[in-house]
Amino acid sequence: MAAGVTVLLLAVLSVVALSGPAGAAAPPQEVTGFGTNPGNLRMFRYVPPGLGDGRPVVVALHGCTQNAAGYAAGTGWTRLADTYEFSVVFPQQQTANNANSCFNWFETGDTRRDSGEALSIKQMVDRAKRDNGSASAYVSGLSAGGGMTSALLAAYPDVFSGGGVIAGLPHGCANSVSSAFTCMSPGVGSSPKEWGDKVRAAFPSYSGPRPKVSIWHGTTDATVQPMNATELMEQFTDANGTDQTPDTTDTVGGYPHRVYGGTVETYQLTGMGHGQPVDPGTGATQCGTAAAYILDVNICSAYHLVRFWGIDDSAPPTPTPTPTPAPTDPPYTDTVIGTATDHYVARRVTVAEYNRLGAAHGYNTPFTLYRCEAGWSDKTDCSPII
């Protein structure tokens, strides 16, 4: 009975394997010896020709019954890697672990920190970073891969600087086959704090900055109900220390787009079913090849993920700014210029202040902090940080 239910679950989540189009970028190559690999996964990687040291690593997780080469070709990640100069790791599930090659997003042993499939993927990232001197990593996935992305963002906020959950589910929503069905449809509603607590419980001692999270979901998705996008937004806004009221409400590519605190965004793909959005073509904002569950809806999700994460500039990272000369006017005694992350790493601000400053000034834009008697402020009159 359990085996039959598992097969049914996998069939519901499954997406057919893809084949790459003629003339596409070279397929990812397999890498062995990347660690102890407790999750028994395979590692494939695409490295653009002539990639310089220090460029980011992106992890792209396929859906059920897909493989690394097919997902790479269909989603357009390899072309974007060529354009914006980053490497891409494509973990690949094996049928020995899961009959339909789904990542086991609903198995606690595979989603815990330093355990199972989650640890295998982290070891792949470690290998890619060592090989290319990279300091940052990002992760995205479709469907079951999206569920695993949520788990990785919760378990490894010290590894991943950003994530993209596409037609996925909140971390901790399921811990069995039966609860996975419920999460997928009709969905599970919890409070933002309850969802956020599941993220915090994944790495209780962590107090650093949380990853930026982009959430994509079709409004007619009958496989993973659209309410999961709302639950994901509530989970990661709460974990990232912001509220559930959008600071920005607009449209991108004709689709409703909302941004929360500068750290979480949602795309509501009106009329789209279950799958990953692509926009085939050669334009700067286009990517991908339409196929089953890789849907041509005139917007390239991978491109917008790269933009949201801030890795769309192939220039070397900007050095940490040095302090400016001390001003002569009271009440502050000196100033320092840097991004929100610079200020946090230098321990000038708390996690909550980091999130507020990032939302107000942008996470990649340098701004001035003023030293006051009680600490630092972003205002010359030394009033509290936003």
Side-chain angles (χ1 to χ4, degrees):
M1 175 69 72
V5 173
T6 300
V7 170
L8 178 59
L9 171 67
L10 301 177
V12 172
L13 274 178
S14 66
V15 289
V16 299
L18 306 172
S19 59
Q29 300 299 305
E30 185 161 13
V31 177
T32 59
F34 56 86
T36 58
N37 191 19
N40 190 34
L41 303 179
R42 297 173 69 185
M43 174 182 177
F44 290 81
R45 179 175 60 182
Y46 177 76
V47 180
L51 183 68
D53 290 344
R55 297 302 297 157
V57 176
V58 171
V59 176
L61 295 162
H62 64 72
C64 302
T65 74
Q66 291 181 310
N67 59 32
Y71 192 65
T75 55
W77 274 117
T78 53
R79 178 186 161 196
L80 290 166
D82 287 338
T83 301
Y84 297 112
E85 300 184 15
F86 56 82
S87 62
V88 191
V89 170
F90 295 94
Q92 183 167 298
Q93 182 59 284
Q94 302 201 76
T95 55
N97 302 331
N98 185 295
N100 276 24
S101 298
C102 304
F103 293 105
N104 287 312
W105 62 274
F106 52 88
E107 294 287 355
T108 304
D110 282 310
T111 58
R112 279 198 308 262
R113 182 177 174 89
D114 298 335
S115 176
E117 293 176 14
L119 179 54
S120 290
I121 295 168
K122 192 262 185 183
Q123 290 176 345
M124 296 179 197
V125 173
D126 290 342
R127 169 66 187 270
K129 284 183 172 180
R130 287 195 304 269
D131 288 351
N132 200 51
S134 300
S136 61
Y138 303 82
V139 59
S140 176
L142 166 65
S143 191
M148 183 59 76
T149 295
S150 297
L152 290 166
L153 294 173
Y156 292 107
D158 53 334
V159 173
F160 297 104
S161 300
V165 183
I166 303 172
L169 304 104
H171 170 63
C173 185
N175 57 14
S176 67
V177 170
S178 59
S179 61
F181 268 118
T182 302
C183 290
M184 292 161 54
S185 183
V188 173
S190 294
S191 71
K193 183 180 184 303
E194 289 171 329
W195 283 126
D197 284 346
K198 291 180 182 294
V199 172
R200 289 181 283 270
F203 188 5
S205 64
Y206 183 72
S207 60
R210 293 281 175 179
K212 301 177 72 174
V213 185
S214 184
I215 299 160
W216 297 67
H217 217 109
T219 61
T220 60
D221 190 334
T223 301
V224 178
Q225 288 295 316
M227 75 165 289
N228 282 287
T230 300
E231 304 307 307
L232 278 161
M233 177 275 290
E234 293 180 350
Q235 179 166 68
F236 286 106
T237 51
D238 186 81
N240 287 11
T242 190
D243 60 27
Q244 290 73 54
T245 301
D247 302 297
T248 300
T249 300
D250 57 9
T251 60
V252 177
Y255 297 106
H257 170 244
R258 297 175 178 85
V259 182
Y260 303 80
T263 69
V264 176
E265 68 171 359
T266 63
Y267 282 86
Q268 185 180 28
L269 286 304
T270 48
M272 191 185 84
H274 187 65
Q276 177 145 342
V278 297
D279 183 16
T282 58
T285 65
Q286 294 181 291
C287 76
T289 301
Y293 298 96
I294 303 292
L295 307 178
D296 179 2
V297 292
N298 299 315
I299 188 169
C300 168
S301 53
Y303 167 79
H304 288 283
L305 288 175
V306 167
R307 296 275 293 174
F308 184 63
W309 295 336
I311 61 173
D312 54 326
D313 182 357
S314 61
T318 302
T320 301
T322 56
T324 60
T328 57
D329 297 330
Y332 48 84
T333 59
D334 63 3
T335 65
V336 63
I337 299 174
T339 65
T341 301
D342 293 331
H343 295 312
Y344 177 80
V345 171
R347 299 186 178 180
R348 300 180 195 110
V349 298
T350 65
V351 173
E353 289 171 335
Y354 162 80
N355 286 322
R356 290 198 292 272
L357 289 169
H361 300 286
Y363 286 84
N364 299 311
T365 303
F367 58 88
T368 303
L369 283 188
Y370 302 87
R371 186 188 293 277
C372 307
E373 291 183 3
W376 292 89
S377 175
D378 60 336
K379 300 180 178 69
T380 57
D381 62 2
C382 281
S383 56
I385 286 174
I386 301 167

